[in-house]
Amino acid sequence: MNKMNKYINSREIIDRIVEVTGWTKTKIAKDIFGIDLSNLGNRIRGDRLNFYKLINWALHTDVNIEWLVTGERNSETADTVSVTCKDDFETAELVEKTKQVVQSDTIYGAALKTNIHSFHQAMAGEEKYKAIEERLEKVGCKHLVSIDGVRIRYDDPPQQKEEIVKRRVF
């Protein structure tokens, strides 16, 4: 059968998404199409899926769009059908956007690289600090290094930030 003349069945597309991701229809509706489950049901019954969003999702998850739409496997698509889908489409989209900015030869790319390194270092430091806190709590000494009184947030008033810095033990 000529693939161009084949009828596209929305229900089968959703079933293939379930097959490759293991997601519920509620998660598919929310994460791929940005709609609720009842709206997805209406779109399935009317064969009116948003193919722009479907294609965008497939590109970000390496799911072969031809297989997704037609269900037909061939030597070129067989390997890509089994690719594990990313659990969080929003994260995949952010990673793609981040990649574009970082790879750009702009001041934004340089700034984002610096921020990513800084955030990663801060996150790693906080995780180490929390691990120390947990170990000290087990022996009854958490009060010696509680992180709650030494964390500075961007919305803290300047005077409060100065007081926090003075309380820090280096």
Side-chain angles (χ1 to χ4, degrees), residues 17-29:
I17 294 171
V18 169
E19 177 186 331
V20 78
T21 64
W23 290 357
T24 64
K25 288 182 182 176
T26 302
K27 183 167 179 60
I28 291 169

Side-chain angles (χ1 to χ4, degrees), residues 124-134 144-148 150:
E126 190 165 313
E127 287 172 355
K128 287 179 185 176
Y129 200 88
K130 284 184 179 183
I132 291 170
E133 244 184 356
E134 289 171 7
L144 297 175
V145 292
S146 178
I147 196 170
D148 297 327
V150 295

Side-chain angles (χ1 to χ4, degrees), residues 43-59:
R43 288 174 184 249
I44 289 171
R45 280 187 292 283
D47 280 321
R48 296 175 288 122
L49 289 179
N50 183 327
F51 280 91
Y52 174 77
K53 290 185 177 186
L54 181 69
I55 291 167
N56 190 32
W57 174 79
L59 290 172

Side-chain angles (χ1 to χ4, degrees), residues 38-84:
S38 64
N39 195 329
L40 178 64
N42 291 337
R43 288 174 184 249
I44 289 171
R45 280 187 292 283
D47 280 321
R48 296 175 288 122
L49 289 179
N50 183 327
F51 280 91
Y52 174 77
K53 290 185 177 186
L54 181 69
I55 291 167
N56 190 32
W57 174 79
L59 290 172
H60 282 90
T61 56
D62 295 327
V63 173
N64 183 280
I65 191 68
E66 182 181 350
W67 170 79
L68 195 57
V69 172
T70 66
E72 294 179 11
R73 292 184 165 117
N74 61 41
S75 60
E76 292 177 22
T77 63
D79 292 336
T80 60
V81 171
S82 64
V83 171
T84 301

